[in-house]
Amino acid sequence: MNEFSIVCRILGTLFNRAPQDPVLQPLITMIADGKLKQAWPLVQDELLERLQQNSELSVIEADYHALFTGESASVAACRTDYTDEKESEVRQFLAGRGMPLSDAPADQFGSLLLAASWLEDQAAEDEVQAQITLFDEYLLPWCGKFLGKVEAYATSSFYRTLAIVTREALQALREEFESE
């Protein structure tokens, strides 16, 4: 797994799973212990320290649920909530690349980041073009609004900081495509 895949997988998992999810626990522990910095390929040390300082599980768990779950969620997490585009377009694009899909929305923000990691890990001949398409057509056009809402509605510094980390990381990853 390369740096691009690591960044997308970590960020996608943090947005896609509730903090108390057993799959997420090792990552939350890594953040709380200050060990994410060692594995993080981007220069975002100050922001990662801020995540560490604000990683109390009960606080981020409550914030996650207020932000993303239930009918009273503060922030819609799917592309279809921000654009006139259909979820089926994303689903068709990913299925066309051979990605196995569940019944969950394929256009959820965290899921799209995980899809970018999956595309990278598959290392197909046209992986870079597929990733560029995923970023340019299905993720970047609406992620600013999504991350802005996360920053505005988060009650914990953890999710406000995560939105900033993610915004900077997506910009760096997209710039990496240009160099390839």
Side-chain angles (χ1 to χ4, degrees):
M1 192 179 315
N2 67 20
E3 294 176 348
F4 177 93
S5 185
I6 289 169
V7 169
C8 289
R9 185 162 303 189
I10 288 172
L11 295 175
T13 301
L14 286 168
F15 279 105
N16 210 35
R17 294 186 179 269
Q20 75 277 14
D21 187 315
V23 171
L24 192 54
Q25 285 304 300
L27 180 55
I28 296 290
T29 301
M30 191 178 199
I31 292 168
D33 292 346
K35 294 180 180 174
L36 181 60
K37 251 190 331 188
Q38 299 162 2
W40 196 249
L42 302 174
V43 180
Q44 294 181 302
D45 292 353
E46 184 181 313
L47 292 170
L48 296 176
E49 287 171 15
R50 204 177 329 162
L51 277 179
Q52 177 188 0
Q53 294 165 356
N54 295 287
S55 60
E56 184 182 326
L57 186 59
S58 62
V59 173
I60 61 174
E61 183 178 325
D63 202 15
Y64 179 89
H65 289 293
L67 287 167
F68 305 119
T69 62
E71 291 188 23
S72 62
S74 303
V75 180
C78 292
R79 173 179 175 254
T80 52
D81 297 309
Y82 298 89
T83 69
D84 293 332
E85 310 297 324
K86 294 180 174 30
E87 185 264 352
S88 61
E89 293 173 12
V90 176
R91 184 170 290 282
Q92 184 176 16
F93 170 77
L94 295 174
R97 295 280 177 218
M99 183 174 174
L101 299 169
S102 69
D103 290 337
D107 68 341
Q108 194 264 354
F109 184 76
S111 297
L112 288 171
L113 290 172
L114 291 169
S117 174
W118 186 89
L119 287 171
E120 175 70 19
D121 293 344
Q122 298 313 300
E125 276 183 37
D126 63 346
E127 75 180 58
V128 172
Q129 187 54 51
Q131 291 166 324
I132 290 171
T133 300
L134 179 69
F135 267 61
D136 290 355
E137 293 183 25
Y138 302 117
L139 186 60
L140 294 179
W142 65 279
C143 76
K145 291 178 189 174
F146 169 76
L147 293 170
K149 285 187 175 207
V150 171
E151 281 184 87
Y153 289 103
T155 57
S156 73
S157 290
F158 183 88
Y159 282 101
R160 283 193 299 273
T161 303
L162 182 61
I164 297 166
V165 167
T166 303
R167 185 178 287 115
E168 289 182 6
L170 291 176
Q171 181 178 355
L173 295 173
R174 182 58 184 94
E175 288 171 3
E176 186 178 306
F177 292 141
E178 296 303 319
S179 66
E180 293 181 16

